mmCIF file of all heavy atoms in Angstrom:
data_model
loop_
_atom_site.group_PDB
_atom_site.id
_atom_site.type_symbol
_atom_site.label_atom_id
_atom_site.label_comp_id
_atom_site.label_asym_id
_atom_site.label_seq_id
_atom_site.Cartn_x
_atom_site.Cartn_y
_atom_site.Cartn_z
ATOM 1 N N VAL A 15 101.337 133.276 148.255
ATOM 2 C CA VAL A 15 102.199 132.197 147.789
ATOM 3 C C VAL A 15 101.401 130.978 147.298
ATOM 4 O O VAL A 15 101.841 130.261 146.410
ATOM 5 C CB VAL A 15 103.228 131.807 148.876
ATOM 6 C CG1 VAL A 15 102.563 131.103 150.038
ATOM 7 C CG2 VAL A 15 104.364 130.986 148.287
ATOM 8 N N PHE A 16 100.220 130.761 147.836
ATOM 9 C CA PHE A 16 99.399 129.642 147.365
ATOM 10 C C PHE A 16 98.977 129.886 145.918
ATOM 11 O O PHE A 16 98.950 128.970 145.099
ATOM 12 C CB PHE A 16 98.176 129.449 148.266
ATOM 13 C CG PHE A 16 98.539 129.137 149.687
ATOM 14 C CD1 PHE A 16 98.372 130.098 150.671
ATOM 15 C CD2 PHE A 16 99.059 127.904 150.040
ATOM 16 C CE1 PHE A 16 98.715 129.829 151.990
ATOM 17 C CE2 PHE A 16 99.410 127.622 151.354
ATOM 18 C CZ PHE A 16 99.233 128.597 152.333
ATOM 19 N N CYS A 17 98.648 131.123 145.624
ATOM 20 C CA CYS A 17 98.226 131.506 144.278
ATOM 21 C C CYS A 17 99.381 131.376 143.278
ATOM 22 O O CYS A 17 99.215 130.800 142.209
ATOM 23 C CB CYS A 17 97.683 132.932 144.315
ATOM 24 S SG CYS A 17 96.938 133.465 142.779
ATOM 25 N N THR A 18 100.557 131.900 143.613
ATOM 26 C CA THR A 18 101.684 131.824 142.673
ATOM 27 C C THR A 18 102.136 130.380 142.474
ATOM 28 O O THR A 18 102.496 129.991 141.361
ATOM 29 C CB THR A 18 102.863 132.719 143.121
ATOM 30 O OG1 THR A 18 103.251 132.376 144.445
ATOM 31 C CG2 THR A 18 102.501 134.190 143.033
ATOM 32 N N ALA A 19 102.104 129.574 143.520
ATOM 33 C CA ALA A 19 102.484 128.162 143.389
ATOM 34 C C ALA A 19 101.489 127.405 142.507
ATOM 35 O O ALA A 19 101.886 126.611 141.638
ATOM 36 C CB ALA A 19 102.581 127.508 144.767
ATOM 37 N N ALA A 20 100.202 127.665 142.689
ATOM 38 C CA ALA A 20 99.178 127.008 141.868
ATOM 39 C C ALA A 20 99.277 127.459 140.411
ATOM 40 O O ALA A 20 99.077 126.660 139.493
ATOM 41 C CB ALA A 20 97.790 127.308 142.422
ATOM 42 N N TRP A 21 99.597 128.726 140.205
ATOM 43 C CA TRP A 21 99.739 129.254 138.838
ATOM 44 C C TRP A 21 100.884 128.562 138.117
ATOM 45 O O TRP A 21 100.751 128.163 136.966
ATOM 46 C CB TRP A 21 99.941 130.757 138.916
ATOM 47 C CG TRP A 21 99.909 131.503 137.629
ATOM 48 C CD1 TRP A 21 99.104 131.255 136.540
ATOM 49 C CD2 TRP A 21 100.686 132.640 137.273
ATOM 50 N NE1 TRP A 21 99.355 132.179 135.550
ATOM 51 C CE2 TRP A 21 100.322 133.038 135.989
ATOM 52 C CE3 TRP A 21 101.661 133.366 137.948
ATOM 53 C CZ2 TRP A 21 100.893 134.126 135.338
ATOM 54 C CZ3 TRP A 21 102.225 134.458 137.318
ATOM 55 C CH2 TRP A 21 101.839 134.823 136.024
ATOM 56 N N LYS A 22 102.015 128.393 138.796
ATOM 57 C CA LYS A 22 103.155 127.703 138.176
ATOM 58 C C LYS A 22 102.745 126.287 137.756
ATOM 59 O O LYS A 22 103.054 125.853 136.656
ATOM 60 C CB LYS A 22 104.343 127.646 139.139
ATOM 61 C CG LYS A 22 105.535 126.917 138.537
ATOM 62 C CD LYS A 22 106.748 126.941 139.432
ATOM 63 C CE LYS A 22 107.906 126.241 138.732
ATOM 64 N NZ LYS A 22 109.171 126.407 139.446
ATOM 65 N N LYS A 23 102.031 125.585 138.619
ATOM 66 C CA LYS A 23 101.593 124.215 138.306
ATOM 67 C C LYS A 23 100.599 124.195 137.149
ATOM 68 O O LYS A 23 100.576 123.258 136.365
ATOM 69 C CB LYS A 23 100.965 123.564 139.536
ATOM 70 C CG LYS A 23 101.969 123.196 140.583
ATOM 71 C CD LYS A 23 101.300 122.573 141.788
ATOM 72 C CE LYS A 23 102.335 122.301 142.860
ATOM 73 N NZ LYS A 23 101.737 121.806 144.095
ATOM 74 N N ALA A 24 99.770 125.236 137.047
ATOM 75 C CA ALA A 24 98.730 125.278 136.020
ATOM 76 C C ALA A 24 99.263 125.620 134.630
ATOM 77 O O ALA A 24 98.653 125.234 133.629
ATOM 78 C CB ALA A 24 97.656 126.296 136.412
ATOM 79 N N LEU A 25 100.382 126.325 134.568
ATOM 80 C CA LEU A 25 100.928 126.703 133.259
ATOM 81 C C LEU A 25 101.648 125.528 132.620
ATOM 82 O O LEU A 25 102.388 124.809 133.294
ATOM 83 C CB LEU A 25 101.896 127.879 133.403
ATOM 84 C CG LEU A 25 101.269 129.217 133.778
ATOM 85 C CD1 LEU A 25 102.352 130.264 134.014
ATOM 86 C CD2 LEU A 25 100.304 129.695 132.704
ATOM 87 N N GLU A 26 101.443 125.342 131.333
ATOM 88 C CA GLU A 26 102.097 124.251 130.622
ATOM 89 C C GLU A 26 103.609 124.360 130.762
ATOM 90 O O GLU A 26 104.206 125.380 130.453
ATOM 91 C CB GLU A 26 101.718 124.285 129.146
ATOM 92 C CG GLU A 26 102.258 123.102 128.380
ATOM 93 C CD GLU A 26 101.796 123.080 126.940
ATOM 94 O OE1 GLU A 26 100.733 123.649 126.631
ATOM 95 O OE2 GLU A 26 102.509 122.492 126.132
ATOM 96 N N GLY A 27 104.220 123.299 131.273
ATOM 97 C CA GLY A 27 105.661 123.263 131.462
ATOM 98 C C GLY A 27 106.133 123.930 132.737
ATOM 99 O O GLY A 27 107.301 123.837 133.102
ATOM 100 N N GLY A 28 105.246 124.613 133.427
ATOM 101 C CA GLY A 28 105.619 125.363 134.621
ATOM 102 C C GLY A 28 106.191 124.507 135.732
ATOM 103 O O GLY A 28 107.185 124.868 136.352
ATOM 104 N N GLU A 29 105.549 123.368 135.978
ATOM 105 C CA GLU A 29 105.983 122.521 137.091
ATOM 106 C C GLU A 29 107.391 121.974 136.890
ATOM 107 O O GLU A 29 108.140 121.812 137.839
ATOM 108 C CB GLU A 29 104.996 121.361 137.281
ATOM 109 C CG GLU A 29 104.467 121.327 138.669
ATOM 110 C CD GLU A 29 103.476 120.205 138.879
ATOM 111 O OE1 GLU A 29 102.798 119.770 137.943
ATOM 112 O OE2 GLU A 29 103.401 119.771 140.033
ATOM 113 N N GLN A 30 107.777 121.706 135.642
ATOM 114 C CA GLN A 30 109.107 121.173 135.359
ATOM 115 C C GLN A 30 110.147 122.276 135.182
ATOM 116 O O GLN A 30 111.331 122.021 135.129
ATOM 117 C CB GLN A 30 109.089 120.317 134.082
ATOM 118 C CG GLN A 30 108.249 119.061 134.172
ATOM 119 C CD GLN A 30 106.757 119.342 134.032
ATOM 120 O OE1 GLN A 30 106.342 120.243 133.327
ATOM 121 N NE2 GLN A 30 105.941 118.574 134.734
ATOM 122 N N SER A 31 109.706 123.492 135.103
ATOM 123 C CA SER A 31 110.573 124.630 134.817
ATOM 124 C C SER A 31 111.392 125.041 136.035
ATOM 125 O O SER A 31 110.998 124.828 137.173
ATOM 126 C CB SER A 31 109.706 125.810 134.373
ATOM 127 O OG SER A 31 110.470 126.970 134.274
ATOM 128 N N LYS A 32 112.543 125.664 135.759
ATOM 129 C CA LYS A 32 113.356 126.253 136.817
ATOM 130 C C LYS A 32 113.016 127.732 137.020
ATOM 131 O O LYS A 32 113.628 128.405 137.838
ATOM 132 C CB LYS A 32 114.839 126.092 136.494
ATOM 133 C CG LYS A 32 115.320 124.650 136.579
ATOM 134 C CD LYS A 32 116.819 124.579 136.461
ATOM 135 C CE LYS A 32 117.177 124.203 135.047
ATOM 136 N NZ LYS A 32 118.606 124.171 134.791
ATOM 137 N N VAL A 33 112.023 128.246 136.274
ATOM 138 C CA VAL A 33 111.574 129.615 136.462
ATOM 139 C C VAL A 33 110.942 129.710 137.856
ATOM 140 O O VAL A 33 110.147 128.851 138.243
ATOM 141 C CB VAL A 33 110.568 130.044 135.367
ATOM 142 C CG1 VAL A 33 109.974 131.412 135.669
ATOM 143 C CG2 VAL A 33 111.240 130.043 134.001
ATOM 144 N N HIS A 34 111.306 130.734 138.597
ATOM 145 C CA HIS A 34 110.794 130.932 139.954
ATOM 146 C C HIS A 34 109.548 131.810 139.920
ATOM 147 O O HIS A 34 109.569 132.888 139.332
ATOM 148 C CB HIS A 34 111.858 131.603 140.826
ATOM 149 C CG HIS A 34 113.128 130.842 140.911
ATOM 150 N ND1 HIS A 34 113.351 129.863 141.853
ATOM 151 C CD2 HIS A 34 114.246 130.904 140.154
ATOM 152 C CE1 HIS A 34 114.554 129.359 141.676
ATOM 153 N NE2 HIS A 34 115.120 129.972 140.649
ATOM 154 N N PHE A 35 108.489 131.366 140.549
ATOM 155 C CA PHE A 35 107.248 132.128 140.676
ATOM 156 C C PHE A 35 107.172 132.602 142.125
ATOM 157 O O PHE A 35 106.998 131.789 143.039
ATOM 158 C CB PHE A 35 106.038 131.253 140.337
ATOM 159 C CG PHE A 35 105.883 130.974 138.868
ATOM 160 C CD1 PHE A 35 106.828 130.236 138.173
ATOM 161 C CD2 PHE A 35 104.781 131.455 138.183
ATOM 162 C CE1 PHE A 35 106.689 129.988 136.817
ATOM 163 C CE2 PHE A 35 104.617 131.204 136.825
ATOM 164 C CZ PHE A 35 105.581 130.475 136.144
ATOM 165 N N LEU A 36 107.327 133.896 142.322
ATOM 166 C CA LEU A 36 107.466 134.431 143.674
ATOM 167 C C LEU A 36 106.290 135.298 144.071
ATOM 168 O O LEU A 36 105.779 136.086 143.281
ATOM 169 C CB LEU A 36 108.755 135.255 143.764
ATOM 170 C CG LEU A 36 110.039 134.521 143.377
ATOM 171 C CD1 LEU A 36 111.229 135.452 143.496
ATOM 172 C CD2 LEU A 36 110.239 133.264 144.205
ATOM 173 N N ALA A 37 105.911 135.156 145.329
ATOM 174 C CA ALA A 37 104.813 135.931 145.898
ATOM 175 C C ALA A 37 105.374 137.168 146.594
ATOM 176 O O ALA A 37 106.153 137.061 147.542
ATOM 177 C CB ALA A 37 104.026 135.085 146.892
ATOM 178 N N ASP A 38 104.974 138.317 146.084
ATOM 179 C CA ASP A 38 105.236 139.603 146.745
ATOM 180 C C ASP A 38 103.952 139.923 147.496
ATOM 181 O O ASP A 38 103.222 140.841 147.160
ATOM 182 C CB ASP A 38 105.568 140.660 145.677
ATOM 183 C CG ASP A 38 105.900 142.020 146.248
ATOM 184 O OD1 ASP A 38 106.208 142.112 147.452
ATOM 185 O OD2 ASP A 38 105.855 142.996 145.471
ATOM 186 N N TRP A 39 103.664 139.109 148.486
ATOM 187 C CA TRP A 39 102.347 139.070 149.125
ATOM 188 C C TRP A 39 101.877 140.411 149.659
ATOM 189 O O TRP A 39 100.685 140.680 149.687
ATOM 190 C CB TRP A 39 102.330 138.003 150.214
ATOM 191 C CG TRP A 39 103.271 138.304 151.349
ATOM 192 C CD1 TRP A 39 104.613 138.016 151.395
ATOM 193 C CD2 TRP A 39 102.967 138.971 152.557
ATOM 194 N NE1 TRP A 39 105.150 138.461 152.565
ATOM 195 C CE2 TRP A 39 104.152 139.059 153.306
ATOM 196 C CE3 TRP A 39 101.799 139.509 153.092
ATOM 197 C CZ2 TRP A 39 104.217 139.660 154.550
ATOM 198 C CZ3 TRP A 39 101.862 140.107 154.338
ATOM 199 C CH2 TRP A 39 103.049 140.173 155.054
ATOM 200 N N ASN A 40 102.784 141.290 150.080
ATOM 201 C CA ASN A 40 102.357 142.581 150.606
ATOM 202 C C ASN A 40 102.778 143.749 149.710
ATOM 203 O O ASN A 40 102.615 144.903 150.075
ATOM 204 C CB ASN A 40 102.870 142.792 152.032
ATOM 205 C CG ASN A 40 104.391 142.767 152.110
ATOM 206 O OD1 ASN A 40 105.086 142.632 151.104
ATOM 207 N ND2 ASN A 40 104.913 142.884 153.321
ATOM 208 N N GLY A 41 103.333 143.443 148.539
ATOM 209 C CA GLY A 41 103.694 144.465 147.570
ATOM 210 C C GLY A 41 104.958 145.243 147.887
ATOM 211 O O GLY A 41 105.256 146.230 147.215
ATOM 212 N N GLN A 42 105.735 144.801 148.854
ATOM 213 C CA GLN A 42 106.923 145.553 149.240
ATOM 214 C C GLN A 42 107.998 145.570 148.153
ATOM 215 O O GLN A 42 108.641 146.594 147.942
ATOM 216 C CB GLN A 42 107.504 145.004 150.552
ATOM 217 C CG GLN A 42 106.614 145.254 151.747
ATOM 218 C CD GLN A 42 106.297 146.728 151.933
ATOM 219 O OE1 GLN A 42 107.190 147.563 152.042
ATOM 220 N NE2 GLN A 42 105.018 147.060 151.935
ATOM 221 N N PHE A 43 108.185 144.466 147.459
ATOM 222 C CA PHE A 43 109.153 144.456 146.359
ATOM 223 C C PHE A 43 108.691 145.404 145.253
ATOM 224 O O PHE A 43 109.459 146.214 144.742
ATOM 225 C CB PHE A 43 109.328 143.037 145.805
ATOM 226 C CG PHE A 43 110.367 142.951 144.717
ATOM 227 C CD1 PHE A 43 111.681 142.678 145.025
ATOM 228 C CD2 PHE A 43 110.026 143.152 143.383
ATOM 229 C CE1 PHE A 43 112.651 142.615 144.038
ATOM 230 C CE2 PHE A 43 110.984 143.093 142.386
ATOM 231 C CZ PHE A 43 112.294 142.821 142.715
ATOM 232 N N THR A 44 107.429 145.299 144.906
ATOM 233 C CA THR A 44 106.858 146.135 143.843
ATOM 234 C C THR A 44 106.954 147.613 144.204
ATOM 235 O O THR A 44 107.304 148.438 143.349
ATOM 236 C CB THR A 44 105.410 145.697 143.565
ATOM 237 O OG1 THR A 44 105.428 144.311 143.178
ATOM 238 C CG2 THR A 44 104.768 146.522 142.485
ATOM 239 N N LYS A 45 106.682 147.948 145.443
ATOM 240 C CA LYS A 45 106.842 149.339 145.891
ATOM 241 C C LYS A 45 108.299 149.770 145.771
ATOM 242 O O LYS A 45 108.586 150.883 145.339
ATOM 243 C CB LYS A 45 106.372 149.500 147.333
ATOM 244 C CG LYS A 45 104.880 149.440 147.514
ATOM 245 C CD LYS A 45 104.517 149.514 148.999
ATOM 246 C CE LYS A 45 103.059 149.201 149.228
ATOM 247 N NZ LYS A 45 102.747 149.070 150.665
ATOM 248 N N GLY A 46 109.225 148.899 146.152
ATOM 249 C CA GLY A 46 110.650 149.210 146.091
ATOM 250 C C GLY A 46 111.153 149.429 144.679
ATOM 251 O O GLY A 46 112.142 150.130 144.460
ATOM 252 N N PHE A 47 110.482 148.841 143.711
ATOM 253 C CA PHE A 47 110.826 149.012 142.293
ATOM 254 C C PHE A 47 109.989 150.130 141.673
ATOM 255 O O PHE A 47 110.044 150.346 140.475
ATOM 256 C CB PHE A 47 110.594 147.701 141.538
ATOM 257 C CG PHE A 47 111.825 147.078 140.946
ATOM 258 C CD1 PHE A 47 113.099 147.461 141.302
ATOM 259 C CD2 PHE A 47 111.696 146.060 140.013
ATOM 260 C CE1 PHE A 47 114.221 146.862 140.747
ATOM 261 C CE2 PHE A 47 112.813 145.455 139.447
ATOM 262 C CZ PHE A 47 114.073 145.860 139.821
ATOM 263 N N ASP A 48 109.201 150.819 142.485
ATOM 264 C CA ASP A 48 108.338 151.913 142.029
ATOM 265 C C ASP A 48 107.485 151.461 140.841
ATOM 266 O O ASP A 48 107.369 152.154 139.836
ATOM 267 C CB ASP A 48 109.176 153.142 141.665
ATOM 268 C CG ASP A 48 108.321 154.393 141.460
ATOM 269 O OD1 ASP A 48 107.224 154.465 142.048
ATOM 270 O OD2 ASP A 48 108.745 155.276 140.696
#
């Protein structure tokens, strides 16, 4: 989550955006989506 939060801040417009940057820290969501 530290990485995804920093990435959002680093991208132009990211900090003001309502786009959600989410950490799938253990890959469980990604596994669930195969």
Side-chain angles (χ1 to χ4, degrees):
V15 70
F16 299 107
C17 187
T18 55
W21 189 37
K22 179 176 182 171
K23 287 179 184 175
L25 291 175
E26 185 176 335
E29 236 179 332
Q30 295 78 33
S31 171
K32 291 189 261 177
V33 173
H34 302 272
F35 286 65
L36 304 179
D38 182 18
W39 65 276
N40 60 2
Q42 292 304 304
F43 183 91
T44 301
K45 288 176 191 171
F47 243 15
D48 192 26

